[in-house]
Coordinates of all heavy atoms in Angstrom, one line a residue:
C63 N -12.2 90.3 -12.6 CA -12.7 88.9 -12.4 C -13.5 88.8 -11.1 O -14.5 88.1 -11.1 CB -11.5 88.0 -12.3 SG -11.9 86.2 -12.1
V64 N -13.1 89.5 -10.0 CA -13.9 89.5 -8.8 C -15.3 90.0 -9.0 O -16.2 89.5 -8.4 CB -13.1 90.4 -7.7 CG1 -14.0 90.6 -6.5 CG2 -11.8 89.8 -7.3
T65 N -15.4 90.9 -10.0 CA -16.8 91.5 -10.2 C -17.6 90.6 -11.2 O -18.7 90.9 -11.5 CB -16.7 92.9 -10.8 OG1 -16.1 92.8 -12.1 CG2 -15.9 93.8 -9.9
G66 N -17.0 89.5 -11.7 CA -17.7 88.6 -12.5 C -17.5 88.8 -14.0 O -18.4 88.4 -14.8
A67 N -16.5 89.5 -14.4 CA -16.2 89.8 -15.8 C -15.5 88.6 -16.4 O -14.3 88.3 -16.1 CB -15.4 91.0 -16.0
A68 N -16.1 87.9 -17.4 CA -15.6 86.6 -17.9 C -14.2 86.9 -18.6 O -13.3 86.1 -18.4 CB -16.5 86.0 -18.9
Y69 N -14.1 88.0 -19.4 CA -12.9 88.2 -20.1 C -11.7 88.5 -19.1 O -10.6 88.0 -19.3 CB -13.1 89.4 -21.0 CG -11.8 89.8 -21.8 CD1 -11.4 89.1 -22.9 CD2 -11.0 90.9 -21.4 CE1 -10.2 89.4 -23.6 CE2 -9.8 91.2 -22.0 CZ -9.4 90.5 -23.1 OH -8.3 90.8 -23.8
D70 N -12.0 89.2 -18.0 CA -11.0 89.5 -17.1 C -10.5 88.3 -16.3 O -9.3 88.1 -16.1 CB -11.4 90.6 -16.1 CG -11.5 92.0 -16.7 OD1 -10.8 92.2 -17.7 OD2 -12.2 92.8 -16.1
C71 N -11.4 87.4 -16.0 CA -11.0 86.1 -15.4 C -10.1 85.3 -16.4 O -9.1 84.7 -16.0 CB -12.3 85.3 -15.1 SG -13.2 85.9 -13.7
Y72 N -10.5 85.3 -17.6 CA -9.7 84.6 -18.7 C -8.3 85.1 -18.8 O -7.3 84.4 -18.8 CB -10.5 84.7 -20.0 CG -9.7 84.5 -21.2 CD1 -9.0 83.3 -21.5 CD2 -9.7 85.5 -22.2 CE1 -8.2 83.1 -22.6 CE2 -9.0 85.3 -23.4 CZ -8.2 84.1 -23.6 OH -7.5 83.9 -24.7
R73 N -8.2 86.5 -18.8 CA -6.9 87.1 -19.0 C -6.1 87.0 -17.7 O -4.9 86.8 -17.7 CB -7.1 88.6 -19.3 CG -7.8 88.8 -20.7 CD -6.9 88.2 -21.8 NE -5.9 89.2 -22.2 CZ -4.7 88.9 -22.7 NH1 -4.3 87.6 -22.8 NH2 -3.9 89.9 -23.0
E74 N -6.8 87.0 -16.5 CA -6.0 86.8 -15.3 C -5.4 85.4 -15.3 O -4.3 85.2 -14.9 CB -6.9 87.0 -14.1 CG -6.1 86.8 -12.8 CD -7.0 86.8 -11.5 OE1 -8.2 87.0 -11.6 OE2 -6.4 86.7 -10.4
G75 N -6.2 84.4 -15.8 CA -5.7 83.1 -15.9 C -4.5 83.0 -16.8 O -3.5 82.3 -16.5
D76 N -4.5 83.7 -17.9 CA -3.4 83.8 -18.8 C -2.1 84.2 -18.1 O -1.0 83.7 -18.2 CB -3.6 84.7 -20.0 CG -4.5 84.1 -21.1 OD1 -4.6 82.8 -21.1 OD2 -4.9 84.8 -22.0
L77 N -2.2 85.3 -17.3 CA -1.1 85.9 -16.7 C -0.6 85.0 -15.6 O 0.7 84.8 -15.4 CB -1.4 87.3 -16.1 CG -1.8 88.4 -17.1 CD1 -1.9 89.7 -16.5 CD2 -0.8 88.4 -18.3
L78 N -1.5 84.3 -14.9 CA -1.1 83.4 -13.8 C -0.4 82.2 -14.5 O 0.6 81.7 -13.9 CB -2.3 82.9 -13.0 CG -2.8 83.9 -12.0 CD1 -4.2 83.6 -11.6 CD2 -1.9 84.0 -10.8
R79 N -0.9 81.7 -15.6 CA -0.3 80.5 -16.2 C 1.1 80.8 -16.7 O 2.0 80.0 -16.7 CB -1.2 80.1 -17.4 CG -0.7 79.0 -18.2 CD -1.7 78.5 -19.2 NE -2.2 79.5 -20.1 CZ -1.5 79.8 -21.3 NH1 -0.5 79.2 -21.6 NH2 -2.0 80.8 -22.1
Q80 N 1.3 82.1 -17.2 CA 2.6 82.4 -17.8 C 3.5 83.1 -16.8 O 4.7 83.3 -17.1 CB 2.4 83.3 -19.0 CG 1.6 82.6 -20.1 CD 1.3 83.6 -21.3 OE1 2.2 83.9 -22.0 NE2 0.1 83.9 -21.4
G81 N 3.0 83.4 -15.6 CA 3.9 84.1 -14.6 C 4.2 85.5 -15.1 O 5.3 86.0 -14.9
I82 N 3.3 86.2 -15.6 CA 3.5 87.6 -16.1 C 2.7 88.6 -15.2 O 1.5 88.5 -15.0 CB 3.0 87.8 -17.5 CG1 3.9 86.9 -18.4 CG2 3.1 89.2 -18.0 CD1 3.4 86.9 -19.9
G83 N 3.4 89.5 -14.5 CA 2.8 90.4 -13.6 C 2.5 89.8 -12.2 O 2.0 90.5 -11.3
T84 N 2.8 88.6 -12.1 CA 2.5 87.9 -10.8 C 3.3 86.6 -10.8 O 3.9 86.2 -11.9 CB 1.0 87.6 -10.6 OG1 0.8 87.0 -9.3 CG2 0.5 86.6 -11.7
D85 N 3.4 85.9 -9.7 CA 4.0 84.6 -9.7 C 3.3 83.5 -10.5 O 2.0 83.6 -10.6 CB 4.1 84.0 -8.3 CG 5.1 84.9 -7.4 OD1 6.0 85.5 -8.0 OD2 4.9 84.9 -6.2
Q86 N 4.0 82.7 -11.2 CA 3.3 81.6 -12.0 C 2.6 80.7 -11.0 O 3.2 80.2 -10.1 CB 4.3 80.9 -12.9 CG 3.7 79.9 -13.8 CD 4.7 79.2 -14.7 OE1 5.8 78.8 -14.3 NE2 4.4 79.2 -16.0
D87 N 1.3 80.4 -11.3 CA 0.6 79.5 -10.4 C -0.5 78.8 -11.3 O -1.6 79.4 -11.6 CB -0.1 80.4 -9.3 CG -0.7 79.6 -8.2 OD1 -1.3 78.5 -8.6 OD2 -0.8 80.0 -7.1
F88 N -0.3 77.6 -11.6 CA -1.2 76.9 -12.5 C -2.5 76.5 -11.8 O -3.5 76.5 -12.5 CB -0.5 75.6 -13.0 CG 0.4 75.8 -14.2 CD1 1.8 76.0 -14.0 CD2 -0.1 75.8 -15.5 CE1 2.6 76.1 -15.0 CE2 0.8 76.0 -16.5 CZ 2.1 76.1 -16.3
D89 N -2.5 76.3 -10.5 CA -3.7 76.0 -9.8 C -4.6 77.2 -9.8 O -5.9 77.1 -10.1 CB -3.4 75.6 -8.3 CG -2.8 74.2 -8.2 OD1 -3.0 73.4 -9.2 OD2 -2.2 73.9 -7.2
R90 N -4.1 78.4 -9.5 CA -4.9 79.6 -9.6 C -5.4 79.9 -11.0 O -6.5 80.4 -11.2 CB -4.2 80.8 -9.0 CG -4.0 80.6 -7.4 CD -3.1 81.7 -6.9 NE -3.7 83.1 -7.1 CZ -3.0 84.2 -7.2 NH1 -1.7 84.1 -7.2 NH2 -3.6 85.4 -7.4
A91 N -4.5 79.7 -12.0 CA -4.8 79.9 -13.4 C -6.0 79.0 -13.8 O -7.0 79.5 -14.4 CB -3.6 79.6 -14.3
A92 N -5.9 77.7 -13.4 CA -7.0 76.8 -13.7 C -8.3 77.3 -13.0 O -9.4 77.2 -13.7 CB -6.7 75.4 -13.2
D93 N -8.2 77.8 -11.8 CA -9.4 78.3 -11.2 C -10.0 79.5 -11.9 O -11.3 79.6 -12.1 CB -9.1 78.7 -9.7 CG -10.3 79.4 -9.0 OD1 -11.2 78.7 -8.6 OD2 -10.3 80.7 -8.9
R94 N -9.2 80.4 -12.4 CA -9.7 81.6 -13.1 C -10.3 81.2 -14.5 O -11.3 81.7 -14.9 CB -8.6 82.6 -13.3 CG -8.0 83.1 -12.0 CD -9.0 83.6 -11.0 NE -8.3 84.3 -9.9 CZ -7.8 83.7 -8.8 NH1 -8.0 82.3 -8.7 NH2 -7.2 84.3 -7.8
Y95 N -9.6 80.2 -15.1 CA -10.2 79.7 -16.4 C -11.5 79.1 -16.2 O -12.4 79.2 -17.0 CB -9.2 78.7 -17.1 CG -8.0 79.3 -17.7 CD1 -6.7 78.7 -17.5 CD2 -8.1 80.5 -18.5 CE1 -5.6 79.3 -18.1 CE2 -6.9 81.0 -19.1 CZ -5.7 80.4 -18.9 OH -4.6 80.9 -19.5
A96 N -11.6 78.3 -15.1 CA -12.9 77.7 -14.8 C -14.0 78.7 -14.5 O -15.2 78.5 -15.0 CB -12.8 76.8 -13.6
R97 N -13.7 79.8 -13.8 CA -14.7 80.8 -13.6 C -15.1 81.5 -14.9 O -16.3 81.7 -15.2 CB -14.1 81.9 -12.7 CG -13.9 81.6 -11.3 CD -13.5 82.8 -10.5 NE -12.9 82.5 -9.2 CZ -12.5 83.3 -8.3 NH1 -12.6 84.6 -8.6 NH2 -12.0 83.0 -7.1
A98 N -14.1 81.8 -15.8 CA -14.4 82.4 -17.1 C -15.2 81.4 -17.9 O -16.1 81.9 -18.6 CB -13.1 82.8 -17.8
C99 N -14.9 80.2 -17.9 CA -15.7 79.2 -18.7 C -17.1 79.1 -18.2 O -18.0 79.1 -19.0 CB -15.0 77.8 -18.5 SG -15.8 76.5 -19.5
D100 N -17.3 79.1 -16.9 CA -18.6 79.2 -16.3 C -19.4 80.4 -16.7 O -20.6 80.4 -16.8 CB -18.6 79.1 -14.8 CG -18.2 77.7 -14.3 OD1 -18.3 76.7 -15.1 OD2 -17.8 77.6 -13.1
L101 N -18.6 81.5 -17.0 CA -19.2 82.7 -17.4 C -19.3 82.9 -19.0 O -19.5 83.9 -19.5 CB -18.5 83.9 -16.9 CG -18.5 84.1 -15.3 CD1 -17.4 85.1 -14.9 CD2 -19.9 84.6 -14.9
S102 N -19.1 81.7 -19.6 CA -19.3 81.6 -21.1 C -18.2 82.1 -21.9 O -18.4 82.6 -23.0 CB -20.7 82.2 -21.5 OG -21.7 81.6 -20.9
S103 N -17.0 82.0 -21.4 CA -15.8 82.3 -22.2 C -15.3 81.0 -22.9 O -14.8 80.1 -22.3 CB -14.6 82.9 -21.4 OG -13.4 82.9 -22.1
A104 N -15.5 80.9 -24.2 CA -15.1 79.7 -24.9 C -13.6 79.5 -24.9 O -13.1 78.4 -24.8 CB -15.6 79.8 -26.4
D105 N -12.9 80.6 -25.0 CA -11.4 80.5 -25.0 C -10.9 79.9 -23.7 O -10.0 79.1 -23.7 CB -10.8 81.9 -25.2 CG -11.0 82.4 -26.7 OD1 -11.3 81.6 -27.6 OD2 -10.8 83.6 -26.9
A106 N -11.5 80.4 -22.6 CA -11.1 79.9 -21.3 C -11.4 78.4 -21.2 O -10.6 77.6 -20.7 CB -11.8 80.6 -20.2
C107 N -12.6 78.0 -21.7 CA -12.9 76.5 -21.6 C -11.9 75.7 -22.4 O -11.5 74.6 -22.0 CB -14.3 76.3 -22.2 SG -15.7 77.1 -21.4
L108 N -11.5 76.2 -23.6 CA -10.6 75.5 -24.4 C -9.2 75.4 -23.8 O -8.6 74.3 -23.8 CB -10.4 76.2 -25.8 CG -9.4 75.7 -26.8 CD1 -9.7 74.2 -27.1 CD2 -9.4 76.5 -28.1
I109 N -8.7 76.5 -23.2 CA -7.4 76.4 -22.6 C -7.4 75.5 -21.4 O -6.4 74.7 -21.2 CB -6.9 77.8 -22.2 CG1 -6.6 78.7 -23.5 CG2 -5.6 77.8 -21.4 CD1 -6.2 80.1 -23.2
L110 N -8.4 75.6 -20.6 CA -8.5 74.7 -19.4 C -8.6 73.3 -19.8 O -7.9 72.4 -19.2 CB -9.7 75.1 -18.6 CG -9.9 74.4 -17.2 CD1 -8.7 74.6 -16.4 CD2 -11.1 74.9 -16.5
A111 N -9.3 73.0 -20.9 CA -9.3 71.6 -21.4 C -8.0 71.2 -21.8 O -7.5 70.0 -21.5 CB -10.3 71.5 -22.5
N112 N -7.2 72.0 -22.5 CA -5.9 71.7 -22.9 C -5.0 71.4 -21.7 O -4.2 70.4 -21.8 CB -5.3 72.9 -23.7 CG -5.9 73.0 -25.1 OD1 -6.5 72.1 -25.6 ND2 -5.7 74.2 -25.7
L113 N -5.1 72.2 -20.7 CA -4.2 72.0 -19.5 C -4.5 70.6 -18.9 O -3.6 69.9 -18.5 CB -4.5 73.1 -18.4 CG -4.0 74.5 -18.8 CD1 -4.4 75.5 -17.7 CD2 -2.6 74.5 -19.1
Y114 N -5.8 70.2 -18.8 CA -6.1 68.9 -18.2 C -5.7 67.8 -19.1 O -5.2 66.7 -18.7 CB -7.6 68.8 -17.9 CG -8.0 69.5 -16.6 CD1 -8.8 70.6 -16.5 CD2 -7.5 69.0 -15.3 CE1 -9.1 71.2 -15.3 CE2 -7.8 69.6 -14.1 CZ -8.6 70.7 -14.1 OH -8.9 71.3 -12.9
F115 N -5.8 68.0 -20.4 CA -5.5 67.0 -21.4 C -4.0 66.7 -21.3 O -3.5 65.6 -21.4 CB -5.9 67.3 -22.8 CG -5.7 66.2 -23.7 CD1 -6.7 65.3 -24.0 CD2 -4.5 66.0 -24.4 CE1 -6.5 64.2 -24.8 CE2 -4.3 65.0 -25.3 CZ -5.3 64.1 -25.5
Q116 N -3.2 67.8 -21.3 CA -1.8 67.7 -21.4 C -1.1 67.4 -20.0 O 0.1 67.1 -19.9 CB -1.2 68.9 -22.0 CG -1.6 69.2 -23.4 CD -1.4 70.6 -23.8 OE1 -0.5 71.3 -23.3 NE2 -2.2 71.1 -24.8
G117 N -1.9 67.7 -18.9 CA -1.3 67.6 -17.6 C -0.2 68.7 -17.4 O 0.8 68.4 -16.7
R118 N -0.5 69.8 -17.9 CA 0.4 71.0 -17.8 C 0.1 71.8 -16.5 O -0.9 72.6 -16.5 CB 0.4 71.9 -19.0 CG 0.9 71.2 -20.3 CD 0.9 72.2 -21.4 NE 1.7 73.3 -21.2 CZ 1.5 74.5 -21.7 NH1 0.5 74.7 -22.5 NH2 2.3 75.5 -21.4
G119 N 0.8 71.6 -15.4 CA 0.6 72.4 -14.2 C -0.6 71.8 -13.4 O -0.8 72.3 -12.2
V120 N -1.4 70.9 -13.9 CA -2.5 70.3 -13.2 C -2.4 68.8 -13.5 O -1.7 68.4 -14.5 CB -3.9 70.8 -13.6 CG1 -4.0 72.3 -13.3 CG2 -4.1 70.6 -15.1
A121 N -3.0 68.0 -12.7 CA -3.0 66.5 -13.0 C -3.7 66.2 -14.3 O -4.7 66.7 -14.6 CB -3.6 65.8 -11.8
E122 N -3.0 65.3 -15.1 CA -3.6 64.9 -16.3 C -5.0 64.2 -16.0 O -5.1 63.4 -15.2 CB -2.7 63.9 -17.0 CG -3.2 63.4 -18.4 CD -2.3 62.3 -19.0 OE1 -1.3 62.7 -19.7 OE2 -2.6 61.1 -18.7
D123 N -6.0 64.7 -16.7 CA -7.4 64.2 -16.4 C -8.2 64.3 -17.7 O -8.8 65.3 -18.0 CB -8.0 65.1 -15.3 CG -9.3 64.6 -14.8 OD1 -10.0 63.8 -15.5 OD2 -9.7 64.9 -13.7
F124 N -8.2 63.2 -18.4 CA -9.0 63.1 -19.7 C -10.5 63.4 -19.5 O -11.1 64.1 -20.3 CB -8.7 61.8 -20.5 CG -7.3 61.7 -21.0 CD1 -6.8 60.4 -21.3 CD2 -6.5 62.8 -21.1 CE1 -5.5 60.3 -21.8 CE2 -5.2 62.7 -21.6 CZ -4.7 61.4 -22.0
P125 N -11.1 62.8 -18.5 CA -12.6 63.0 -18.4 C -12.9 64.5 -18.2 O -13.8 65.0 -18.7 CB -13.0 62.1 -17.2 CG -12.0 61.0 -17.2 CD -10.7 61.7 -17.7
T126 N -12.1 65.2 -17.3 CA -12.3 66.6 -17.1 C -12.0 67.4 -18.3 O -12.7 68.3 -18.7 CB -11.4 67.1 -15.9 OG1 -11.8 66.3 -14.7 CG2 -11.7 68.6 -15.6
A127 N -10.9 67.0 -19.0 CA -10.6 67.7 -20.3 C -11.8 67.6 -21.2 O -12.2 68.6 -21.9 CB -9.4 67.1 -20.9
R128 N -12.4 66.4 -21.3 CA -13.5 66.2 -22.3 C -14.7 67.1 -21.9 O -15.4 67.6 -22.8 CB -13.9 64.7 -22.3 CG -15.0 64.4 -23.2 CD -15.0 62.9 -23.5 NE -16.2 62.4 -24.0 CZ -16.4 61.2 -24.5 NH1 -15.4 60.3 -24.5 NH2 -17.6 60.8 -25.0
I129 N -14.9 67.2 -20.6 CA -16.0 68.1 -20.1 C -15.8 69.5 -20.6 O -16.7 70.2 -21.1 CB -16.1 68.0 -18.6 CG1 -16.7 66.7 -18.1 CG2 -17.0 69.2 -18.1 CD1 -16.6 66.4 -16.7
Y130 N -14.6 70.0 -20.4 CA -14.3 71.4 -20.8 C -14.3 71.6 -22.3 O -14.7 72.7 -22.8 CB -13.1 71.9 -20.1 CG -13.3 72.3 -18.7 CD1 -12.8 71.5 -17.6 CD2 -14.1 73.4 -18.3 CE1 -13.1 71.8 -16.3 CE2 -14.4 73.7 -17.0 CZ -13.9 72.9 -16.0 OH -14.1 73.2 -14.7
Y131 N -13.8 70.6 -23.1 CA -13.9 70.7 -24.5 C -15.3 70.8 -24.9 O -15.7 71.5 -25.9 CB -13.2 69.5 -25.2 CG -11.7 69.5 -25.2 CD1 -10.9 68.5 -24.7 CD2 -11.0 70.7 -25.7 CE1 -9.6 68.5 -24.8 CE2 -9.6 70.7 -25.8 CZ -8.9 69.6 -25.3 OH -7.5 69.7 -25.3
A132 N -16.2 70.0 -24.3 CA -17.6 70.0 -24.6 C -18.2 71.4 -24.3 O -19.0 71.9 -25.1 CB -18.4 68.9 -23.8
R133 N -17.8 72.0 -23.2 CA -18.4 73.3 -22.9 C -17.9 74.3 -23.9 O -18.6 75.2 -24.4 CB -17.9 73.8 -21.5 CG -18.6 73.0 -20.4 CD -18.2 73.5 -19.0 NE -18.7 72.7 -17.9 CZ -18.5 73.0 -16.7 NH1 -17.7 74.0 -16.3 NH2 -19.0 72.2 -15.7
G134 N -16.6 74.2 -24.3 CA -16.1 75.1 -25.3 C -16.8 74.9 -26.7 O -17.1 75.9 -27.4
C135 N -17.0 73.7 -27.0 CA -17.7 73.4 -28.3 C -19.2 74.0 -28.2 O -19.6 74.5 -29.2 CB -17.8 71.9 -28.5 SG -18.5 71.4 -30.1
D136 N -19.8 73.8 -27.1 CA -21.2 74.4 -26.9 C -21.2 75.9 -27.1 O -22.2 76.5 -27.5 CB -21.8 74.1 -25.6 CG -22.2 72.6 -25.5 OD1 -22.3 71.9 -26.5 OD2 -22.3 72.1 -24.3
L137 N -20.0 76.5 -26.8 CA -19.9 78.0 -27.0 C -19.3 78.4 -28.3 O -18.8 79.5 -28.5 CB -19.0 78.5 -25.8 CG -19.6 78.5 -24.4 CD1 -18.6 78.8 -23.4 CD2 -20.8 79.4 -24.3
N138 N -19.3 77.4 -29.3 CA -18.9 77.6 -30.6 C -17.4 77.8 -30.9 O -17.0 78.5 -31.8 CB -19.7 78.8 -31.2 CG -21.2 78.5 -31.3 OD1 -21.6 77.5 -31.6 ND2 -21.9 79.5 -30.9

Side-chain angles (χ1 to χ4, degrees):
C63 184
V64 169
T65 66
Y69 179 78
D70 287 338
C71 291
Y72 159 58
R73 295 297 276 149
E74 184 186 1
D76 278 347
L77 298 189
L78 284 163
R79 177 171 58 86
Q80 298 177 70
I82 296 175
T84 186
D85 293 335
Q86 187 175 47
D87 190 327
F88 279 93
D89 287 337
R90 289 173 63 205
D93 175 77
R94 300 311 188 270
Y95 285 136
R97 289 189 197 180
C99 181
D100 288 342
L101 293 166
S102 299
S103 169
D105 288 344
C107 297
L108 176 57
I109 293 178
L110 185 57
N112 289 342
L113 293 179
Y114 279 114
F115 187 91
Q116 299 163 25
R118 293 184 60 208
V120 296
E122 183 184 272
D123 188 337
F124 290 162
T126 299
R128 183 162 161 169
I129 288 170
Y130 283 110
Y131 283 128
R133 291 185 185 178
C135 185
D136 287 343
L137 293 167
N138 298 316

